Amino acid sequence: MTRYIAAYDTEKAGDCLATCHKIRTVHEQFDFPGTFFIVGKRLEEEGAEYRAVLGDVPSFEIASHTYSHIILRDHPFCGNTPDNMTRQRELVLGKERIEQTFQRPCPGLRPGCGFANALRGDPWLVETVASAGFGYVSSLLWGPETTVPALLEKPFSYAEEGYPDLWELPGHGWHENLLKAHNLTVNVRRIVAWPSPFPEAVPLRPIHTPEEEFAVNKLFIDRAIELDLPYVSLIWHPWSLGRFDPEMRMLKLTFAYVRERGLEATTYEAEWRRMMQLQQP
Ligand SMILES: [Zn+2]
């Protein structure tokens, strides 16, 4: 049975923290676990506040969203790869900040922006992510040719690259900020694939209401169940959720639907541990 992961790319100063308070309340109402990928720099500025709002909920996983959101692979919309020393620093320091702030190990990484081909084709990056001590990376966040939405891909290990213990756990669907045209640097119409592999999930214009957002979420959840995916997880950003839907209606509708469909809610870390166990002979 497919499981559901609520996950948040937590990155913007101020706005993300403010929305995390609201997100926590909804999670408590529904007794839902969740994964927060947090940018390390935010913890240098707002670490005590983040610890207060997220640190004492045992079912919350705190993972890394790199140190400063520098893009780790060339990306057509998000920027170009810096030198290897900078890339390594983003990984190591990002992990350290989580571990220092929350006093717990951080096996998970979501690189800023994500990529259309995960870490494949960049052996240096695979090796450096593994040697930084990460057990999983959630970097496959785009559809073919770096389009949205990200398709419903299954997890895989980087065994072919020589790292069978490093797992890729993809994210699915829209980067919800793009669904709402919240990113002014990118014209969303230019990043929708044609012909779309999932046309029902591509509205003809940016959405205007939390109910419309839920309707798109529902398509991905239903399709993931049909495909018998181990889990489905949408790509959410607290700053964008808070701006669009200050009452968190979409979150409540989505969590209620997950319950209605009988899906277990989980975290990326729990899913990673499950994958590793399945792999054991
Ligand atoms: Zn991000």
Side-chain angles (χ1 to χ4, degrees):
M1 187 63 180
T2 305
R3 288 169 292 277
Y4 180 81
I5 305 175
Y8 305 90
D9 292 2
T10 310
E11 53 201 22
K12 271 201 207 308
D15 292 0
C16 276
L17 177 63
T19 307
C20 278
H21 285 275
K22 298 182 178 183
I23 290 171
R24 175 189 168 138
T25 305
V26 180
H27 276 260
E28 284 175 335
Q29 273 167 21
F30 283 83
D31 191 20
F32 248 55
T35 297
F36 294 81
F37 296 104
I38 308 182
V39 165
K41 256 193 163 167
R42 294 295 82 79
L43 297 176
E44 292 175 356
E45 306 150 357
E46 305 170 312
E49 292 92 331
Y50 270 112
R51 201 166 46 237
V53 64
L54 303 177
D56 65 340
V57 182
S59 65
F60 283 173
E61 174 195 5
I62 313 294
S64 175
H65 197 32
T66 72
Y67 173 62
S68 69
H69 213 274
I70 280 178
I71 304 308
L72 299 176
R73 297 191 75 176
D74 284 344
H75 191 289
F77 314 115
C78 299
N80 292 331
T81 316
D83 59 85
N84 283 351
M85 234 168 76
T86 308
R87 289 207 285 175
Q88 187 176 25
R89 186 168 173 269
E90 281 293 304
L91 296 167
V92 172
L93 216 52
K95 190 173 190 296
E96 253 177 47
R97 289 294 174 268
I98 302 292
E99 292 176 343
Q100 287 164 350
T101 306
F102 292 92
Q103 294 294 307
R104 63 177 88 163
C106 170
L109 167 72
R110 170 162 288 174
C113 241
F115 318 110
N117 196 22
L119 305 186
R120 282 170 170 160
D122 191 339
W124 182 91
L125 189 56
V126 175
E127 187 192 333
T128 310
V129 167
S131 58
F134 289 109
Y136 80 84
V137 52
S138 178
S139 72
L140 181 49
L141 304 178
W142 296 82
E145 306 294 331
T146 317
T147 52
V148 283
L151 303 182
L152 287 158
E153 304 283 356
K154 289 182 176 167
F156 56 86
S157 89
Y158 285 97
E160 269 174 47
E161 287 77 5
Y163 292 88
D165 293 332
L166 180 65
W167 282 83
E168 172 68 40
L169 301 181
H172 308 120
W174 283 80
H175 297 231
E176 50 72 38
N177 50 320
L178 298 179
L179 192 54
K180 301 158 188 170
H182 276 174
N183 272 61
L184 299 177
T185 48
V186 184
N187 182 338
V188 183
R189 285 183 200 275
R190 295 181 65 91
I191 51 176
V192 177
W194 185 86
S196 170
F198 196 174
E200 314 89 287
V202 182
L204 295 174
R205 52 162 177 75
I207 59 162
H208 297 311
T209 66
E211 287 70 23
E212 282 181 289
E213 184 173 10
F214 166 64
V216 174
N217 294 352
K218 191 168 169 290
L219 290 170
F220 283 96
I221 294 167
D222 290 345
R223 182 69 64 90
I225 296 169
E226 270 168 45
L227 293 171
D228 200 20
L229 242 60
Y231 72 88
V232 56
S233 184
L234 303 163
I235 305 160
W236 290 347
H237 310 76
W239 63 267
S240 173
L241 297 179
R243 189 197 295 183
F244 184 72
D245 179 16
E247 292 164 23
M248 303 285 110
R249 271 150 57 199
M250 178 284 283
L251 225 57
K252 292 173 195 165
L253 288 167
T254 303
F255 290 0
Y257 187 66
V258 166
R259 288 280 185 248
E260 187 189 318
R261 295 291 321 246
L263 308 190
E264 182 194 335
T266 186
T267 63
Y268 272 94
E269 184 177 351
E271 204 56 36
W272 164 63
R273 294 192 186 282
R274 214 171 257 127
M275 293 296 148
M276 287 198 303
Q277 260 178 4
L278 289 175
Q279 193 192 34
Q280 312 250 308

